[in-house]
Amino acid sequence: MPRIKLANWYGDKAPGEEIDVGDVLLKALRRDGRVAEVVDAPTQEQADEPAPEPVSAPAQEPAAQPESGRKRR
């Protein structure tokens, strides 16, 4: 999670305070001009965690062809 320093008030947090935010909230706060600076952003190595091995999906049947035209009521 990135840690940011606020440029403006955010809720009960005063300008200059540092808070931990998620990626979505960071993007929203930047858009609103409330981020003074990103103090600690995760590096690519920290963000990349070993992914679990993908489990092979069972064989899927081909999708049925959709009916075309109008249907009677």
Side-chain angles (χ1 to χ4, degrees), residues 33-45:
R34 295 182 183 214
V35 177
E37 66 179 296
V38 178
V39 178
D40 182 29
T43 61
Q44 188 67 2
E45 293 174 1

Side-chain angles (χ1 to χ4, degrees), residues 9-48:
W9 283 91
Y10 178 68
D12 61 342
K13 304 294 183 186
E17 285 190 48
E18 294 182 3
I19 59 171
D20 291 322
V21 295
D23 293 330
V24 175
L25 183 58
L26 174 61
K27 186 175 180 180
L29 290 174
R30 276 189 176 164
R31 181 191 64 218
D32 295 341
R34 295 182 183 214
V35 177
E37 66 179 296
V38 178
V39 178
D40 182 29
T43 61
Q44 188 67 2
E45 293 174 1
Q46 291 174 346
D48 290 340

